[in-house]
Amino acid sequence: MLRASARGLLVGRRRDLMASLLAFSSSASGPPPKPSPSHTSPPPPSASSSARASRFRLLLARAAARRDPEPPPQAESEKKSIAVRTGELFLGLSALFIRAGRGAAPVEEVEQREGVLWEQRPEDVEAERQRQRREVATASPGFSFSAAGLLFPYHLGVAQCLLDKGYITERTPLAGSSAGAIICAVIASGKTMQEALQVTKILAEDCRSKGTAFRLGAVLKDVLEKFLPDDLHISCNGRIRVAITQLSWRPRGLLVDQFDSKEDVISAIITSSFIPGYLAPRPATLFRNRLCVDGGLTLFMPPTSASETVRICAFPAGRLGLQGIGISPDCNPENRATPRQLFNWALEPAEDEVLDKLYELGYQDAAVWAEQNPPESTVKIEQLGTD
């Protein structure tokens, strides 16, 4: 009897609870259900019971939301690769240095104000002096190529135009950081820009199919070793300057213009391009027993050995707050990619047709600069004394 009474009591309480739930859920959409004829009509709900119903519905809604959460609104941004994220951070730091006035000053000012280090041994300095006494020196401007990441084809197009119009000769001083250092080595090697563009497409296809982050350094080194000649260091010595950032108590620019071998040149180029966590899964790399990273951090467009340097920037110079830039997308502002697109292509390889377009745009921008600076008034030759 006791068990039957208890079971009946539980059933009754369960029935009353279900009726209450039905009343709560239907109160928002329509009138409450009519009472059952077999039961006495309940008293009208008080204000406190209505408040409890509202709180109960809120708890049910929160529980349902936890079971079936909506996708976050920024889901697309979370799809950025590690390469893009690390590259964005590093380029952001570089932009801070640039806006502070570093990396684009004349060579004397850079040396005095920024404390640029020179990787020159005493025998290198003497060899450079002897070379200058023997050779014809040019009073023409040198050309400095900015860091550019995978916008490298832009620099190739600029270089092709300058070669075609006679601005760059076998003795023209060159300097570069990151991708800019690569173009300097390509020019000094005697390889054509079209050959370099085809090799760039091979590298881009490898990165598109297998990924960019953590492995670009190894792929780039392999491509350069196969593409560049064995006597590369001979044509580079004293002519090109490779910018590197040395890490000490603060980042300092390091300029390298003397090399022992082809491998030494390639090592300098890889170091100049070393964005931490992008080229390889480590925060820095070693160059000649120095802890270093990408040269674009401190010397975005390094000075050449010429008395005047024409600076070439693959990004819109005005958007970076740069002044005195000779060649950049600002030369031809119409129908250009947005800065965001350029930024993405600098970190993730674009399709081949985009690489071809970047090459064409670089050539066109250099042609605009050439119209404003005719070769006859820019390129000058003078003979140094032999004393």
Side-chain angles (χ1 to χ4, degrees):
M1 291 295 293
L2 290 175
R3 288 181 182 178
S5 300
R7 187 179 298 112
L9 181 61
L10 289 174
V11 170
R13 287 182 178 178
R14 193 175 300 167
R15 187 183 301 113
D16 293 340
L17 178 60
M18 290 300 296
S20 300
L21 287 175
L22 289 174
F24 293 152
S25 61
S26 60
S27 60
S29 57
K34 294 181 179 180
S36 172
S38 58
H39 292 80
T40 307
S41 299
S46 63
S48 60
S49 63
S50 298
R52 286 196 300 271
S54 299
R55 287 196 295 270
F56 186 78
R57 284 196 298 274
L58 180 61
L59 290 175
L60 288 178
R62 288 178 178 175
R66 283 195 294 268
R67 289 195 305 269
D68 188 19
E70 296 182 0
Q74 301 296 329
E76 290 298 323
S77 63
E78 295 177 358
K79 294 180 181 179
K80 289 182 180 178
S81 68
I82 297 176
V84 171
R85 291 178 181 179
T86 56
E88 284 179 347
L89 175 62
F90 194 85
L91 290 182
L93 292 175
S94 298
L96 291 178
F97 274 83
I98 292 171
R99 290 193 176 100
R102 302 179 181 181
V107 58
E108 297 83 3
E109 185 178 345
V110 171
E111 292 175 3
Q112 295 173 8
R113 185 185 65 188
E114 304 299 340
V116 172
L117 304 176
W118 284 90
E119 181 62 22
Q120 287 182 308
R121 297 157 295 192
E123 58 268 27
D124 294 333
V125 176
E126 182 59 30
E128 177 66 12
R129 289 174 180 169
Q130 293 295 332
R131 185 188 67 81
Q132 290 183 354
R133 290 192 182 100
R134 289 194 306 267
E135 294 185 357
V136 174
T138 175
S140 304
F143 292 90
S144 175
F145 294 83
S146 74
L150 295 172
L151 296 178
F152 181 64
Y154 179 87
H155 282 334
L156 291 175
V158 171
Q160 185 63 64
C161 180
L162 297 176
L163 287 165
D164 290 346
K165 296 182 180 298
Y167 293 93
I168 293 181
T169 67
E170 293 181 356
R171 296 186 178 92
T172 302
L174 304 170
S177 178
S178 191
I182 300 176
I183 187 62
C184 292
V186 172
I187 295 172
S189 72
K191 293 285 188 177
T192 69
M193 301 305 107
Q194 279 296 329
E195 290 174 329
L197 180 59
Q198 296 308 312
V199 171
T200 303
K201 291 179 180 179
I202 294 174
L203 181 145
E205 174 59 30
D206 186 288
C207 292
R208 285 195 298 264
S209 60
K210 300 179 182 178
T212 304
F214 299 160
R215 58 183 303 272
L216 179 58
V219 177
L220 178 60
K221 182 179 180 181
D222 182 64
V223 166
L224 293 176
E225 287 176 347
K226 294 177 180 178
F227 178 65
L228 297 173
D230 293 336
D231 61 349
L232 175 67
H233 59 294
I234 298 176
S235 58
C236 289
N237 277 343
R239 183 186 180 190
I240 77 168
R241 289 178 172 179
V242 177
I244 293 170
T245 296
Q246 177 180 336
L247 299 179
S248 53
W249 65 276
R250 70 177 178 90
R252 300 184 69 184
L254 175 67
L255 289 171
V256 185
D257 67 350
Q258 295 293 327
F259 310 93
D260 295 328
S261 62
K262 170 186 175 180
E263 290 71 23
D264 196 27
V265 180
I266 293 176
S267 177
I269 291 173
I270 296 297
T271 304
S272 180
S273 307
F274 195 90
I275 296 179
Y278 180 61
L279 256 70
R282 56 181 184 273
T285 189
L286 283 176
F287 177 74
R288 297 179 182 175
N289 297 319
R290 289 182 170 97
L291 198 62
C292 302
V293 293
D294 192 297
L297 181 63
T298 51
L299 292 167
F300 192 70
M301 286 170 285
T304 69
S305 59
S307 58
E308 179 186 354
T309 296
V310 177
R311 291 178 169 85
I312 302 160
C313 184
F315 299 95
R319 298 295 291 270
L320 291 177
L322 297 176
Q323 296 180 353
I325 306 303
I327 302 173
S328 79
D330 291 347
C331 293
N332 263 321
E334 299 297 329
N335 300 320
R336 301 301 289 258
T338 64
R340 171 55 61 182
Q341 286 175 318
L342 290 176
F343 188 79
N344 289 337
W345 291 337
L347 298 173
E348 293 280 16
E351 297 297 329
D352 287 356
E353 55 269 20
V354 175
L355 301 180
D356 288 331
K357 186 63 176 178
L358 289 171
Y359 181 93
E360 295 174 5
L361 291 173
Y363 195 103
Q364 293 170 10
D365 291 346
V368 171
W369 176 85
E371 291 178 1
Q372 301 168 354
N373 301 270
E376 57 270 15
S377 63
T378 305
V379 179
K380 303 173 184 177
I381 301 293
E382 61 181 16
Q383 182 75 36
L384 283 184
T386 57
D387 307 340

